Amino acid sequence: MPTREVNYDGIVGPTHHYGGLAPGNLASQRHAHQTSNPRDAALEGLAKMKRVHDLGIPQAVLPPHDRPAIHILRSLGFLGDDAAVLAKARREDPTLLAATASASPMWAANAATISPSADTADRRIHITPANLLHAFHRSLEPDTTATLLRKLLPDESHFAHHPPLPPHARYADEGAANHMRLAPAHDQPGLELFVFGRACDDPIERQPRRHPARQSQQASQAIARRHQLAPNRALLLRQNPDAIDAGAFHNDVVAVSHENVLLHHERAFAETALVSERIRDAYRDLTGNAPVRIEILQDELPLAAAVDSYLFNSQLLTRPDGSIVLLAPIECHEGNRVRACIDRIIADAANPIAAVQYANVRQSMHNGGGPACLRLRIVMTEAEYAAAHPHVMFTASLYEQLTTWVEHHYRDHLTADDLADPALLRESRDALDALTRLLHLGNIYPFQQ
Ligand SMILES: N=C(N)NCCC[C@H](NC(=O)CCC(=O)O)C(=O)O
């Protein structure tokens, strides 16, 4: 079997809710404290995975993390049994309780940055779990993410697992959401694009004015270095501060790459014209060809409409016949302007995108997570795929089992008050316990020890 790109999607956890926890993420702010539906959220995620699987593209799942994270509440001084800890946290610091209950690990694009073995000096897949320092609820993810990735990709002769970067703002890292790759084919050496929002010595005029920049240049540099990418295989690009101010808190809200295709908004990068040249020249030096760059101009789709619709958070997927499908959020179907833009891309014979499909992941979208946020891509050779944990690979039967599992364990509405319900903690743990058996993972969560 050839080298392939496997999409590992985060399964939405049973405590999915709208905590309003992510400044600069407009959807999270807009839907703060609304009632969520964890069951629909998880089923929407599974339906998207099924759709990718049905296109003939390898798909896998990443399990949710244990939430509410009682051990964090305890470490912050809330004592007593679990029910008492939850009740006190709800009373004294409801925002903290919401953070410890966030199902944010569902956004697997932020789990890690991964360099395929075709790009790295020692020909292993290199993996850096993101430290997600920017927001407290997300900073709780790296340890469990690292444990899970080691479990799912176990053979050190194929997979080089690095620890998350040092936990300091200098190395703030948000994972693959700020990382793209261009290559003629998955098994060919590629050009990895690292997009950062700020450097630690930035003068004030380079910084966004309204919203925070999350990814640091120093983090991106360190990852390119530790992943052993030759200098001609890595480019560092600065995100446009205007894009961050318009709500593009990650690069994947304004740009997406796949094989030799780069789809991006005109205002995605600082100094777009220069960036385009740098990408073209670096890619040509490496491969002898130019990449297919599809730039959407501000006149065709203003930045605000791009952020609203999450067009650039679509997945680009190569079907077995070689044609590319754009898997876009359903919200793109609902806006005339963005739909016209998609129709134009598909009609344009100068690029290989041949069709569009629309995915409904609304529950996730309301927290700022589109189709591409929910997946972590891992390019794998046949031997690497054979070494990976097989029981998380998506099949029609796994889809049936996971659907039944969600329907059995998940609630269909959740409010801020429910997060303190000790029954929710029990239900969530029962669900994860059952999931570890279903996916043959052994005891991976602290509550199972
Ligand atoms: N673009 C990518 N790749 N990922 C989307 C992440 C969304 C996530 N939302 C949140 O964390 C909101 C949680 C809340 O408000 O309850 C974030 O902002 O980090």
Side-chain angles (χ1 to χ4, degrees):
M1 234 182 289
T3 297
R4 72 207 73 185
E5 182 180 81
V6 187
N7 288 277
Y8 280 76
D9 271 48
I11 298 176
V12 178
T15 58
H16 157 69
H17 71 280
Y18 300 116
L21 299 169
N25 170 342
L26 305 183
S28 150
Q29 297 303 302
R30 204 177 297 138
H31 296 94
H33 313 307
Q34 293 191 0
T35 302
S36 67
N37 186 330
R39 182 185 298 172
D40 277 358
L43 293 176
E44 286 168 5
L46 290 176
K48 175 174 86 77
M49 297 183 218
K50 170 92 165 41
R51 194 193 287 244
V52 172
H53 170 76
D54 287 348
L55 284 168
I57 293 152
Q59 177 68 55
V61 300
L62 281 174
H65 296 192
D66 174 25
R67 298 286 184 270
I70 289 283
H71 67 288
I72 298 294
L73 294 173
R74 286 189 192 285
S75 77
L76 294 171
F78 295 99
L79 303 179
D81 60 17
D82 289 347
V85 168
L86 291 165
K88 283 180 201 162
R90 173 81 187 126
R91 205 166 47 241
E92 289 178 31
D93 194 344
T95 306
L96 172 65
L97 176 63
T100 58
S102 177
S104 57
M106 70 166 93
W107 298 298
N110 304 116
T113 304
I114 305 212
S115 296
S117 52
D119 299 352
T120 64
D122 65 1
R123 304 293 305 221
R124 292 190 294 165
I125 292 182
H126 282 248
I127 301 162
T128 294
N131 59 24
L132 291 167
L133 279 187
H134 168 73
F136 180 67
H137 67 294
R138 304 224 60 182
S139 74
L140 307 178
E141 300 175 36
D143 287 351
T144 304
T145 298
T147 305
L148 282 169
L149 290 174
R150 280 177 189 276
K151 185 90 195 178
L152 300 184
L153 308 169
D155 182 344
E156 289 275 337
S157 70
H158 289 300
F159 305 108
H161 291 272
H162 300 273
L165 290 172
H168 185 276
R170 180 180 170 87
Y171 292 107
D173 171 29
E174 300 267 321
N178 294 320
H179 176 246
M180 301 186 288
R181 178 174 192 259
L182 289 169
H186 294 314
D187 60 347
Q188 302 292 306
L191 178 67
E192 299 197 17
L193 308 175
F194 293 83
V195 187
F196 60 90
R198 63 179 171 80
C200 37
D201 49 4
D202 267 345
I204 196 90
E205 63 275 10
R206 295 209 77 159
Q207 298 169 20
R209 273 186 291 270
R210 230 172 306 154
H211 300 311
R214 297 195 189 184
Q215 181 86 24
S216 84
Q217 181 181 27
Q218 286 67 27
S220 298
Q221 259 161 354
I223 294 171
R225 198 161 46 225
R226 57 163 40 176
H227 286 196
Q228 301 182 19
L229 304 177
N232 66 334
R233 294 188 185 175
L235 268 189
L236 261 77
L237 311 175
R238 183 184 281 271
Q239 209 185 345
N240 187 343
D242 294 345
I244 297 173
D245 277 339
F249 55 95
H250 290 135
N251 171 67
D252 69 3
V253 177
V254 280
V256 56
S257 75
H258 173 74
E259 294 186 320
N260 65 340
V261 179
L262 174 61
L263 171 66
H264 69 93
H265 193 271
E266 179 185 8
R267 304 225 172 134
F269 312 111
E271 298 153 347
T272 307
L274 191 67
V275 163
S276 310
E277 269 174 45
R278 285 176 65 206
I279 294 173
R280 190 198 54 214
D281 294 349
Y283 188 80
R284 187 171 279 151
D285 286 351
L286 191 65
T287 68
N289 289 306
V292 178
R293 202 169 54 79
I294 312 168
E295 179 173 349
I296 305 299
L297 299 179
Q298 173 77 3
D299 282 349
E300 182 173 14
L301 190 70
L303 207 43
V307 172
D308 261 1
S309 64
Y310 261 45
L311 165 62
F312 297 92
N313 207 260
S314 299
Q315 290 179 250
L316 290 172
L317 301 158
T318 302
R319 291 185 285 207
D321 69 3
S323 65
I324 295 185
V325 177
L326 182 89
L327 183 59
I330 188 80
E331 286 74 1
C332 290
H333 187 63
E334 290 157 3
N336 290 340
R337 213 157 167 182
V338 62
R339 209 173 57 233
C341 177
I342 291 174
D343 291 344
R344 188 198 49 79
I345 295 170
I346 288 166
D348 185 350
N351 75 67
I353 303 176
V356 58
Q357 291 196 13
Y358 293 99
N360 173 5
V361 289
R362 276 193 212 280
Q363 284 284 323
S364 169
M365 281 285 283
H366 288 177
N367 253 338
C373 297
L374 289 160
R375 60 96 171 96
L376 178 66
R377 290 179 287 183
I378 310 186
V379 172
M380 289 181 173
T381 63
E382 187 177 356
E384 290 155 358
Y385 189 83
H389 184 72
H391 303 286
V392 291
M393 299 302 174
F394 207 79
T395 59
S397 144
L398 184 61
Y399 174 66
E400 294 302 326
Q401 292 176 65
L402 288 173
T403 301
T404 308
W405 169 79
V406 169
E407 281 165 353
H408 179 73
H409 290 283
Y410 281 52
R411 297 190 183 188
D412 61 7
H413 64 274
L414 216 53
T415 63
D417 280 334
D418 296 328
L419 302 177
D421 180 359
L424 179 69
L425 176 67
R426 276 196 303 278
E427 290 160 24
S428 302
R429 290 187 167 173
D430 285 350
L432 296 195
D433 208 32
L435 184 67
T436 50
R437 284 194 297 279
L438 214 144
L439 301 176
H440 302 261
L441 289 170
N443 294 334
I444 48 170
Y445 298 108
F447 72 84
Q448 294 176 310
Q449 304 307 316

